[in-house]
Amino acid sequence: MIEAETINHIMRALADPTRRGMFERIVTEGEVSVVDLTRGSGVTQGAVSQHLKALKQAGLVLERPEGRKVYYRARAEGLEPLSAWMDHYRAFWRDRLADLRTVLEEMDP
């Protein structure tokens, strides 16, 4: 069974376009510091930190402090609960649409 609260955290975190963009950048670049994420983002370092906090609480990123910098990288298994949830509903709708196709074919052979 997929835990609803986990899915809610992930969806809430990725619903924000700025946060989703940061997550995509972290995934693409591998490991990124807060300073690097702030450059060219159009938001303050404080706002970037808040977005990263939400991504971390959703289990999507991990942090690694090094000296005065903090680096973030994607958590490989972070999207697995969302993927499992989507797989569940993909199968649900595939089965329902197959049933509908059968009924329609029986009505109009």
Side-chain angles (χ1 to χ4, degrees), residues 19-30:
R19 203 161 30 237
R20 190 172 52 252
M22 284 183 192
F23 179 69
E24 290 172 357
R25 185 170 169 196
I26 292 168
V27 168
T28 301
E29 296 183 19

Side-chain angles (χ1 to χ4, degrees), residues 80-96:
E80 285 179 9
L82 182 60
S83 179
W85 182 82
M86 291 173 65
D87 287 346
H88 170 76
Y89 283 100
R90 186 176 300 117
F92 171 83
W93 283 110
R94 183 182 53 234
D95 294 347
R96 295 300 183 272

